[in-house]
Amino acid sequence: MIREIVVISGKGGTGKTSIAAAFASLMENGVLCDADVDAANLHLLLKPKVLESHPFMGGGIAEIRNEDCVACGVCLEVCKFDAISEDYHVDPIGCEGCGVCVDMCPQEAIDFPTQQCGEWFHSETRFGPMIHAGLGIAEENSGKLVSLVRQQGRDLAEAEGRNLLLTDGPPGVGCPVIAAVGGASALVIVVEPTVSGLHDMQRVAQLGQHFGVPGLVAVNKFDLNVEMTEKIEAWAVEQSLGLVGRIPFDSSFVKAMVAAENIIEFAPESDAAKAVREIWKKVMASKALNNMGIADLR
Amino acid sequence: MIISIASGKGGTGKTTVAANLALSLQDSGLVKDFNMLDCDVEEPNLHLFLDPGEVTETEITTFVPVIDQEKCTGCRKCVDICRFSALTFVRDTVLVFPALCHSCGGCQLVCEFGAIGDDSRKIGVVESGMVNGHAIHSGRIRIGEAMSPPLIKAVRRHEKEAALTLIDAPPGTSCPVIAAMRGADFVLLVTEPTPFGLHDLQLAVEAVKVLDIPAGLVINRADLGDSTVQEYAESEGLEILMQIPFDRSFAEAYSRGESIVNVSPEWREKFQGLYTRIAEIVEAKA
């Protein structure tokens, strides 16, 4: 059975990607997925060599053929998104892609071409294969692209006999996060010990509970506010979330990023790297990932 | 004037800048009145740093169809027009999947039998309160809800209520960010000088170009990382309006919900200067 660990945080910038990249060093026989398709960063540390790239097609966008338009006003009236101007041009950013104007136009003067709204890639990294993607600027359908990335990751794992997916998730609790969380084996929730870190982690943990996915909490930069770290851990325990460890604040994370390495490669003997290794062990031994409690289960 | 504070990458300091700007503008005599909108509706944080006290909640809903099975003849026209698969036909019955509905109203338009009525789906709430006489409105999406743009639009209905509106935008570059930046007079981009910060800043700059809005940059934790963000800003002609150094006391204050101007009052003047410069740029453009 293929298991999947999704690294999320709620709040952005807590260290999700730096920690996911470090996990990549420790993972055995897995596939990496970057599900933050909106602002993907994992490739900056893992420098993947792209083997295949594929277009990602979204829905249609309305386009009025002005030579056939008789300015009857029907499209203006039916568009709920105010995406059509008084002189009958569709604002592609405002258009929701519902196609109602297309169907209601008495002149059949509105086209509905399918848009390419991104790309996805099958790549090779020094830690194993990786599926990643880029969504076009100002595009919709990020949730669909996230689902596609995870499915491709799963298919690849199956085809190559790999048993683990390690997915770097997006921030927030909305559309792409919902698409990243459903069906995962466990969430590693990376939290920073701040009022906003706690607030945002509570919301994303609720989302995990909503979808029935177990959550494991790791506090990053814990020493910035130990009292807050304790508060976060107490809340996590109360909610039956697992605690997998604390990582100290270490500017080596930034230096490693500049060097395009992860913390395990850049500063293997640092306290931060040791903490990440301990966390990975606890994640792999957690009930969420193997209900028999055998850490080395293959 | 509407200033939207955005970043591409999360956690670079959008909310920090928004909160410090607000705290520096109050009682400054620089603006007559201003309000604050938290459009990061998935993870609203601004209230944690500005403490609005008692808030009133307004529930925001969106249209979803409800089928009157008595009137439905099973013609399937509603199912055919729905591009979002929110309606399906199973055993002579139309089923509605409210979570997939984009509220376009197409199904109601095509139904000839008046069999589709109005129902609603709760997207979230807008929490409204006051901070030292200035209104703050924060969107908060319901956990499990995927569509944030209608809620962001609901928060932004308050932007006409003051001479200046500060918008705290969500991270990323897709539809929620666009919803929080469109129609703004200025986009204040906040980044950190790291490879991740640079990469996502470049995406955010592309989004700002698509919308054709003037923009400027704040570099946070300016002394951690490398100089590539500065070099990129120069090559893009993106004005660096402020650089905030990494200071452990700022980070610790932030962790407690305090702002830079609380621990270092001399920053108040710098944030006032930031606002004055933005106002000049906006005026020059108009």
Side-chain angles (χ1 to χ4, degrees), chain A:
Chain A
M1 197 179 91
I2 298 168
R3 297 161 300 167
E4 183 181 16
I5 299 167
V6 181
V7 185
I8 52 164
S9 64
K11 179 168 161 37
T14 62
K16 266 188 310 297
T17 302
S18 289
I19 289 168
F23 284 170
S25 273
L26 305 168
M27 161 185 97
E28 279 173 49
N29 200 28
V31 173
L32 299 158
C33 293
D34 191 346
D36 188 358
V37 299
D38 207 1
N41 285 153
L42 192 59
H43 67 283
L44 297 172
L45 293 187
L46 301 186
K47 301 283 178 204
K49 187 172 153 250
V50 174
L51 304 176
E52 291 167 29
S53 63
H54 303 268
F56 168 62
M57 305 305 286
I61 291 280
E63 263 179 31
I64 299 173
R65 292 191 313 278
N66 291 87
E67 64 276 19
D68 295 324
C69 170
V70 297
C72 66
V74 168
C75 56
L76 282 174
E77 212 172 285
V78 299
C79 178
K80 288 277 201 299
F81 306 98
D82 298 323
I84 304 174
S85 65
E86 293 292 329
D87 60 347
Y88 298 96
H89 285 94
V90 178
D91 168 7
I93 294 174
C95 178
E96 185 79 7
C98 69
V100 172
C101 59
V102 178
D103 288 21
M104 302 307 280
C105 176
Q107 301 295 317
E108 297 184 10
I110 308 182
D111 294 331
F112 199 56
T114 305
Q115 308 288 310
Q116 179 179 344
C117 46
E119 257 186 307
W120 68 271
F121 311 97
H122 169 196
S123 298
E124 191 55 49
T125 76
R126 57 192 184 277
F127 305 118
M130 172 170 172
I131 304 288
H132 51 124
L135 189 69
I137 301 296
E139 289 292 354
E140 311 202 359
N141 292 307
S142 57
K144 272 190 198 160
L145 185 51
V146 169
S147 301
L148 178 77
V149 163
R150 291 178 64 210
Q151 189 54 50
Q152 291 295 336
R154 199 164 276 273
D155 291 351
L156 183 65
E158 224 153 77
E160 296 190 353
R162 296 173 184 270
N163 55 20
L164 186 67
L165 284 183
L166 174 59
T167 300
D168 187 13
V173 295
C175 163
V177 187
I178 290 170
V181 163
S185 315
L187 307 175
V188 174
I189 307 175
V190 180
V191 197
E192 59 173 37
T194 64
V195 286
S196 43
L198 170 64
H199 172 270
D200 295 357
M201 172 271 260
Q202 289 175 331
R203 284 172 61 76
V204 83
Q206 281 166 20
L207 186 75
Q209 288 164 349
H210 184 90
F211 287 100
V213 184
L216 305 169
V217 171
V219 184
N220 191 18
K221 310 178 215 179
F222 83 91
D223 47 340
L224 277 184
N225 189 331
V226 174
E227 206 180 309
M228 186 62 76
T229 296
E230 284 164 0
K231 206 167 160 184
I232 285 167
E233 291 173 342
W235 187 84
V237 168
E238 209 175 280
Q239 297 293 313
S240 310
L241 300 167
L243 293 180
V244 287
R246 297 172 169 190
I247 304 165
F249 176 82
D250 189 337
S251 57
S252 298
F253 276 106
V254 173
K255 290 176 193 145
M257 197 194 287
V258 171
E261 291 185 351
N262 69 33
I263 191 83
I264 306 277
E265 297 168 292
F266 185 82
E269 295 310 315
S270 63
D271 290 346
K274 285 178 194 156
V276 171
R277 279 193 209 98
E278 281 307 306
I279 289 171
W280 178 252
K281 264 191 220 158
K282 282 197 182 157
V283 169
M284 293 311 287
S286 70
K287 251 193 174 159
L289 284 173
N290 74 79
N291 51 21
M292 288 188 281
I294 307 167
D296 295 322
L297 187 73
R298 288 281 182 270

Side-chain angles (χ1 to χ4, degrees), chain A residues 38-40 135 137, chain B residues 173 198-208 232:
Chain A
D38 207 1
L135 189 69
I137 301 296
Chain B
T173 57
L198 172 65
H199 176 267
D200 297 353
L201 171 67
Q202 289 169 328
L203 298 175
V205 167
E206 290 308 312
V208 170
Y232 166 77

Side-chain angles (χ1 to χ4, degrees), chain B:
Chain B
M1 179 165 61
I2 301 163
I3 302 173
S4 192
I5 301 161
S7 71
K9 175 165 159 46
T12 58
K14 277 181 304 295
T15 303
T16 297
V17 169
N20 280 287
L21 205 49
L23 291 169
S24 304
L25 286 175
Q26 63 190 29
D27 309 318
S28 68
L30 285 172
V31 276
K32 199 167 92 256
D33 60 330
F34 68 89
N35 64 7
M36 296 149 282
L37 307 182
D38 196 340
C39 289
D40 187 357
V41 301
E42 294 179 32
E43 296 291 18
N45 284 159
L46 193 55
H47 66 286
L48 298 171
F49 298 89
L50 294 171
D51 190 16
E54 286 268 303
V55 294
T56 55
E57 269 189 17
T58 312
E59 190 171 284
I60 305 299
T61 60
T62 189
F63 159 83
V64 294
V66 57
I67 312 294
D68 182 341
Q69 300 296 353
E70 301 274 294
K71 290 184 183 166
C72 177
T73 63
C75 74
R76 295 181 184 230
K77 281 190 176 167
C78 57
V79 174
D80 292 341
I81 198 172
C82 182
R83 259 82 177 183
F84 306 108
S85 313
L87 296 164
T88 56
F89 202 69
V90 180
R91 283 195 210 154
D92 301 336
T93 306
V94 176
L95 289 182
V96 182
F97 293 91
L100 300 178
C101 176
H102 285 228
S103 311
C104 70
C107 51
Q108 269 188 339
L109 280 173
V110 291
C111 180
E112 291 164 27
F113 308 97
I116 303 188
D118 288 19
D119 200 352
S120 66
R121 175 177 93 232
K122 184 181 168 186
I123 324 178
V125 295
V126 177
E127 297 168 344
S128 302
M130 297 295 275
V131 181
N132 300 324
H134 301 280
I136 176 169
H137 305 279
S138 302
R140 178 177 291 272
I141 204 167
R142 175 178 59 80
I143 294 295
E145 170 63 50
M147 285 167 219
S148 55
L151 179 57
I152 294 172
K153 283 180 192 163
V155 178
R156 289 193 61 181
R157 280 185 212 122
H158 293 284
E159 67 196 14
K160 300 230 158 61
E161 295 162 6
L164 171 67
T165 295
L166 302 175
I167 295 179
D168 194 359
T173 57
S174 64
C175 36
V177 187
I178 300 302
M181 297 201 304
R182 275 187 103 180
D185 297 292
F186 191 86
V187 174
L188 184 57
L189 296 166
V190 183
T191 195
E192 58 181 33
T194 63
F196 292 180
L198 172 65
H199 176 267
D200 297 353
L201 171 67
Q202 289 169 328
L203 298 175
V205 167
E206 290 308 312
V208 170
K209 281 186 190 162
V210 169
L211 296 173
D212 192 24
I213 304 173
L217 185 63
V218 172
I219 304 179
N220 192 17
R221 300 188 277 269
D223 45 353
L224 288 186
D226 58 19
S227 61
T228 49
V229 164
Q230 276 95 338
E231 287 156 18
Y232 166 77
E234 266 166 44
S235 71
E236 272 291 320
L238 185 64
E239 185 172 331
I240 299 173
L241 300 169
M242 179 181 263
Q243 305 208 40
I244 307 171
F246 176 77
D247 183 326
R248 201 172 163 113
S249 74
F250 293 175
E252 286 172 0
Y254 177 90
S255 79
R256 299 186 299 265
E258 288 174 34
S259 293
I260 295 172
V261 296
N262 299 135
V263 291
S264 250
E266 67 271 19
W267 276 83
R268 196 176 135 89
E269 217 169 284
K270 294 182 190 171
F271 277 99
Q272 289 170 353
L274 173 64
Y275 168 73
T276 308
R277 180 65 194 129
I278 292 170
E280 276 170 17
I281 296 171
V282 171
E283 202 164 307
K285 166 122 184 184

